[in-house]
Amino acid sequence: MPQSRNASAVFGRDFLEMRSRILELAASLDRLELAEGSPLDDPRLDQLRQAIEVLLKPGTSRAESVQQIFSLKYDPSWPRPR
């Protein structure tokens, strides 16, 4: 039987890494804003916005939801593996 995890312990263990990743994302977005031109028509920017919105919602399927945002939609015409 899996051992139950204490939320405070998990948060304490992961906080610094989570904070670091958020700071890294913020810095990347700042660099993008400061760069010449604009990627406003780039669909990847919209994917990032959607993913950030997912992170702000409560729930336990955030990773799956974010993965779906960045994944290609299934195409039945894809070749089958051999």
Side-chain angles (χ1 to χ4, degrees), residues 15-29 55-56:
F15 176 75
L16 290 177
E17 185 176 348
M18 293 166 66
R19 183 184 79 163
S20 172
R21 289 179 180 192
I22 290 172
L23 287 169
E24 185 176 338
L25 177 59
S28 294
L29 292 172
L55 296 178
L56 296 174

Side-chain angles (χ1 to χ4, degrees), residues 1-39:
M1 173 179 249
Q3 200 173 23
S4 144
R5 293 182 285 180
N6 178 285
S8 293
V10 171
F11 186 62
R13 183 194 69 215
D14 293 347
F15 176 75
L16 290 177
E17 185 176 348
M18 293 166 66
R19 183 184 79 163
S20 172
R21 289 179 180 192
I22 290 172
L23 287 169
E24 185 176 338
L25 177 59
S28 294
L29 292 172
D30 285 350
R31 285 190 297 275
L32 187 59
E33 284 286 325
L34 294 169
E36 290 184 30
S38 172

Side-chain angles (χ1 to χ4, degrees), residues 59-77:
T60 59
S61 61
R62 289 183 196 94
E64 179 182 354
S65 296
V66 168
Q67 180 62 44
Q68 290 296 323
I69 290 168
F70 292 109
S71 296
L72 293 173
K73 303 298 179 217
Y74 176 73
D75 182 345
S77 68

Side-chain angles (χ1 to χ4, degrees), residues 39-58:
L40 292 178
D41 59 343
D42 191 318
R44 295 174 298 174
L45 187 59
D46 188 49
Q47 287 177 317
L48 288 174
R49 286 189 177 113
Q50 289 177 43
I52 290 168
E53 288 176 13
V54 166
L55 296 178
L56 296 174
K57 296 176 184 173

